[in-house]
Structures are given as C-alpha cells and as structure tokens.
Amino acid sequence: MALIKKNNLFLSFINSERAGGLVLLICTILSLFLANSFFSEEYIAIWHFHIANHAAEFWINDGLMALFFLLIGLELEREVYIGELSKLKVAILPIFGALGGMLIPALLYLYFNLHLPTRSGFGIPMATDIAFAIGVLSLLGNRVPLSIKIFLTALAVIDDLGAIIMIAVFYTKTIYFTNLLLSIGIFVLLLIMNRLKVKVLILYLIGGVFMWYFMLNSGVHATITGILLAFVIPFEDGKENSISYKLQSWLHFPIAFMIIPLFALCNTAINIDKNWIQIITEPYSLGILFGLTFGKPLGIVSFIFIALKLKLTKLPKDINWNQLIAVGFLGGIGFTMSIFITLLAFEDKQIINNSKLMILIASLISGTIGYIWLKISLDKKIN
C-alpha cells in the first residue's frame, strides 16, 4: 500500500511537470513575442514595476523562487528516504550521471572563458530543467519506460541540489554575519522542533519566512532557505497523512502553473538584437552552447560508464545505452536554473540578455536531439 501511495505521488509529480513543461513553453514563446513587439517597452516595464520598494522581478526571482526550491528540497528528501536515492547502489547511477553532467559542462565553459571576466558564468550550463525535460519525454507517451522517467527525475533533482550548493559557495559575494547567524539560528530552532516531533506545519512556514528574510539580508541568496526549510519539515513515514507529503502535494500545482510560468515570463522578456547571430561567437555564448548541448550528454554518459565499469551500479533492465544517450541530451535543457544562475553570475544587462538567449537556443537544440534520438531508439525496440 505504501508503495502504491509513493508511486501515486511520483506519477502526480510527472503529470504536473509534463503539463507544466507545456505551459512553460507557451509562456516563453509569448514573452519573447511581446518583448519584441511594437509595445515591448511597456511589456518589459511590467517586470520593473516596484512593489514595496522592490521590482516585480525581485519578488519573483528572490521570493517566489524560494517556494520552487522548497519543492525541490521536499522531492530530494523523499528520494533520499524512500525513493531512488534510498539505496546506495541504485542511487549511484543518477548521482554519477549528475556529477558528470555538472563537471564536464562547467569545464567546457571555462575552456572558452577561463581568462575572461565572464568565467563567473561556469555554473550556467551545469543545470537541467526538469519541467521541460519531462515535457519532452511526455511527447513520446507511454512508450517511454518508467525507469527512464525516474532516472531523469532523480538526475535533475541531484543536479538542482548541486546548483544550490554552487550558488551558496561561488555566487555569494558579501556576507553579513549577523543576519546569517539569525537565519541559521531559526533553522536550528526548526530542526529542534522536528526532533521534538512538532507536526504543526504553519509553525515551520512562519519560521521559514523569517529565515528567508534574514538570509536575504545576509548576502547569501535567499532561495536557499527553501531547501533548508524542506529538510526540517517532518517527513515521518512519507505517507499521505504526513505534513511533508501534504505540503509537497499542495505545492505541485502553484509551482508548475503559476510560479515557474511567472519566472519564465519575467526572465525571457528579451529584446533580441537584429545582429543576434553575432552573439553566438562570444566566448560566454560558446561556453553555454557547447556546455549544454555537448557537455551534458558527454558528462552524464561517460560518468555512468565509469560507474558501471567500476561495478558500483548497474543499468535498469529496460534502459539501454541509446536511451541513456538520449536522456543525456535531454539533460542539456537548462532553462529555469540556468537562467537563475545567469542572474547571479553577471551584472551587465546585455550579457545577461545574450546568455538567456543562448540558453534558449542550446535548450532547443538539446531537447530536439534528445527527442529524436529517444524516438528512434524506442521505435527500434518495438520493431
């Protein structure tokens, strides 16, 4: 019975990400169209409209995205306790894939940018957008083995965790220790509540808001509080009556259909220059393009190959190497987290806009190759 409930939550997650990926695509196309129409200035100005002394884009990128990170944390926690990451030998497959999928793209980016100021963008091609990746898988319907969906989901979640750690370590410039200590103090208090088996969700959420506020004013990116909050909310047995399960279920819809679409609309409001083709030759553009389209599949597949040769893990019976390569390309769909890291890596608005455009181009190429490769692989399997 517990296994059925666990699968129900996973399938509901897959379904929400599948539909969410379609909504994300529509929002991206709509935003690009509006940002390059005759009323582009008015549209772009919407995201700079101030609410409570901050622009709308701030509340989306620094506020609402903390809830996105909270959902990632809850999903990661579930995977660690009762999911694909609960058994080390099984977990090693997506862990190695994710490590390769982060390291190789970063090195490729640095190859083009090592001695330039734009080297700070090395984290951009390290991320995988789970909504778009699952959305592409959904185009192939029920022919896609569940093992592939589970593997891609686990890989993307680990990938996101790696990106969060990287944000904390490499993209924090000035630290205000008083506020940081206050935020950590609240985290410790919530952790004690967890150990005392306090199961009142609202208390954790109120604590999370204060933790976010002090983290925001500490210099460390505030969205990291989402992950911290996820791991202090009692998981219990992970069943439907646990507050962790309930919160994760409640968050799926607003994250997939409200917060991420808002993020997409806000951050793809890119006014494309007439000479945009020249942007591709910029070192940071080449780093993003090669990192996502080639670095991701190369890193994922090669590190999994190493893990298998070392006999640390094994491939599921219904996944072959062709399908694994296709999944590697789908890992090159960077979108949400890649754009998020772009905002932290650069200060020049032109470079930020150009990088966003390259992320979209690289993600489109990766998604198309991944889809075609997987479709051919599945067709061969049927024949």
Side-chain angles (χ1 to χ4, degrees), residues 61-74 164 167-168 179-180 182-187 190 204-218 220-233 247 340:
N61 294 333
D62 290 63
L64 293 179
M65 285 299 285
L67 295 175
F68 168 71
F69 279 77
L70 172 58
L71 181 61
I72 288 174
L74 291 170
I164 291 159
I167 288 168
N179 287 319
L180 181 60
L182 284 169
S183 185
I184 292 172
I186 294 170
F187 171 74
L190 295 176
Y204 291 97
L205 296 180
I206 291 171
V209 170
F210 282 101
M211 185 164 58
W212 173 85
Y213 174 80
F214 288 116
M215 190 70 78
L216 177 68
N217 291 285
S218 72
V220 179
H221 205 274
T223 50
I224 290 171
T225 56
I227 291 287
L228 296 176
L229 181 59
F231 278 88
V232 295
I233 292 174
L247 181 60
F340 191 82

Side-chain angles (χ1 to χ4, degrees), residues 65-86:
M65 285 299 285
L67 295 175
F68 168 71
F69 279 77
L70 172 58
L71 181 61
I72 288 174
L74 291 170
E75 287 159 1
L76 180 64
E77 183 183 42
R78 177 164 293 275
E79 289 296 317
V80 168
Y81 284 123
I82 59 174
E84 286 299 294
L85 306 180
S86 60

Side-chain angles (χ1 to χ4, degrees), residues 236-313:
E236 303 170 81
D237 56 6
K239 293 182 180 178
E240 290 182 5
N241 59 345
S242 68
I243 63 173
S244 175
Y245 184 103
K246 289 176 182 176
L247 181 60
Q248 189 176 344
S249 300
W250 292 337
L251 284 173
H252 275 162
F253 184 86
I255 297 293
F257 300 104
M258 294 170 65
I259 292 175
I260 296 300
L262 265 176
F263 178 86
L265 286 168
C266 173
N267 290 289
T268 56
I270 306 166
N271 192 265
I272 301 173
D273 192 277
K274 290 179 182 178
N275 299 318
W276 66 270
I277 198 71
Q278 296 176 4
I279 295 169
I280 297 176
T281 61
E282 294 288 341
Y284 60 87
S285 297
L286 292 171
I288 292 169
L289 183 63
F290 280 89
L292 285 173
T293 56
F294 297 108
K296 271 291 183 180
L298 178 62
I300 291 169
V301 174
S302 62
F303 270 57
I304 286 176
F305 180 78
I306 291 169
L308 293 173
K309 283 297 178 182
L310 293 174
K311 296 184 178 179
L312 299 173
T313 185

Side-chain angles (χ1 to χ4, degrees), residues 84-248:
E84 286 299 294
L85 306 180
S86 60
K87 294 178 181 176
L88 184 59
K89 192 153 188 175
V90 177
I92 282 174
L93 191 70
I95 288 173
F96 262 68
L99 286 174
M102 289 186 283
L103 182 61
I104 301 301
L107 290 175
L108 270 174
Y109 182 92
L110 288 173
Y111 172 77
F112 291 101
N113 295 269
L114 186 58
H115 300 295
L116 300 172
T118 49
R119 64 180 175 273
S120 58
F122 71 91
I124 296 171
M126 293 172 68
T128 296
D129 188 285
I130 191 168
F132 265 138
I134 294 295
V136 172
L137 276 186
S138 72
L139 297 176
L140 294 167
N142 294 327
R143 293 193 301 158
V144 180
L146 185 60
S147 293
I148 290 180
K149 295 177 182 177
I150 292 173
F151 169 73
L152 181 58
T153 302
L155 181 139
V157 170
I158 297 166
D159 206 307
D160 284 339
L161 177 62
I164 291 159
I165 293 170
M166 185 182 58
I167 288 168
V169 175
F170 295 104
Y171 294 106
T172 298
K173 296 174 183 176
T174 304
I175 297 178
Y176 299 95
F177 285 98
T178 301
N179 287 319
L180 181 60
L181 289 172
L182 284 169
S183 185
I184 292 172
I186 294 170
F187 171 74
V188 171
L189 178 62
L190 295 176
L191 194 59
I192 292 170
M193 287 169 54
N194 178 301
R195 297 303 178 193
L196 293 175
K197 301 189 184 300
V198 176
K199 299 178 184 179
V200 184
L201 180 59
I202 190 65
L203 294 178
Y204 291 97
L205 296 180
I206 291 171
V209 170
F210 282 101
M211 185 164 58
W212 173 85
Y213 174 80
F214 288 116
M215 190 70 78
L216 177 68
N217 291 285
S218 72
V220 179
H221 205 274
T223 50
I224 290 171
T225 56
I227 291 287
L228 296 176
L229 181 59
F231 278 88
V232 295
I233 292 174
F235 184 77
E236 303 170 81
D237 56 6
K239 293 182 180 178
E240 290 182 5
N241 59 345
S242 68
I243 63 173
S244 175
Y245 184 103
K246 289 176 182 176
L247 181 60
Q248 189 176 344

Side-chain angles (χ1 to χ4, degrees), residues 339-354:
I339 290 177
F340 191 82
I341 293 171
T342 299
L343 300 173
L344 301 176
F346 304 130
E347 294 181 1
D348 187 294
K349 289 186 178 180
Q350 192 60 50
I351 292 178
I352 290 173
N353 270 2
N354 293 347

